[in-house]
């Protein structure tokens, strides 16, 4: 199973494979993006592609949803 997102503005695609767990990921930077390995098994569990529109098929990018919106909490401090 695979999960992923594509941010069109940043032109970055994220692909997460079975076994991806942010607590167990070891990241290796490559010229084209990032490879995420499981620390225990060494298995590839995630890929991040920079300049994704030049590296991945358009059909794949079209199939990926936009990343979820991040909630921003602003706390007002007394003046």
């Amino acid at each position: 199973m695979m999960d992923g997102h594509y941010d069109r503005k940043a032109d970055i695609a994220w692909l997460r494979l079975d076994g991806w767990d942010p607590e167990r990921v070891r990241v290796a930077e490559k010229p084209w993006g990032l490879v995420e390995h499981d620390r225990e098994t060494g298995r590839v569990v995630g890929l991040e592609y920079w300049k994704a529109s030049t590296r991945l098929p358009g059909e794949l990018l079209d199939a990926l949803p936009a990343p979820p919106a991040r909630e921003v909490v602003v706390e007002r401090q007394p003046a």
Side-chain angles (χ1 to χ4, degrees), residues 42-61:
R43 188 173 150 261
V44 174
V45 293
L47 299 164
E48 179 176 308
Y49 288 93
W50 305 330
K51 298 181 184 175
S53 63
T54 66
R55 303 179 193 281
L56 298 172
E59 293 87 355
L60 174 61
L61 298 177

Side-chain angles (χ1 to χ4, degrees), residues 1-72:
M1 177 179 236
M2 181 180 77
D3 181 31
H5 296 94
Y6 176 50
D7 184 327
R8 292 185 186 287
K9 289 182 183 177
D11 197 18
I12 297 174
W14 297 270
L15 303 176
R16 302 291 184 247
L17 309 174
D18 279 342
W20 185 83
D21 178 350
E23 300 295 321
R24 293 174 35 166
V25 168
R26 181 183 76 235
V27 178
E29 187 172 330
K30 302 291 182 184
W32 49 265
L34 303 175
V35 178
E36 299 174 324
H37 294 87
D38 183 284
R39 288 181 196 268
E40 294 178 18
T41 66
R43 188 173 150 261
V44 174
V45 293
L47 299 164
E48 179 176 308
Y49 288 93
W50 305 330
K51 298 181 184 175
S53 63
T54 66
R55 303 179 193 281
L56 298 172
E59 293 87 355
L60 174 61
L61 298 177
D62 290 342
L64 294 172
R70 295 185 178 174
E71 290 186 28
V72 176

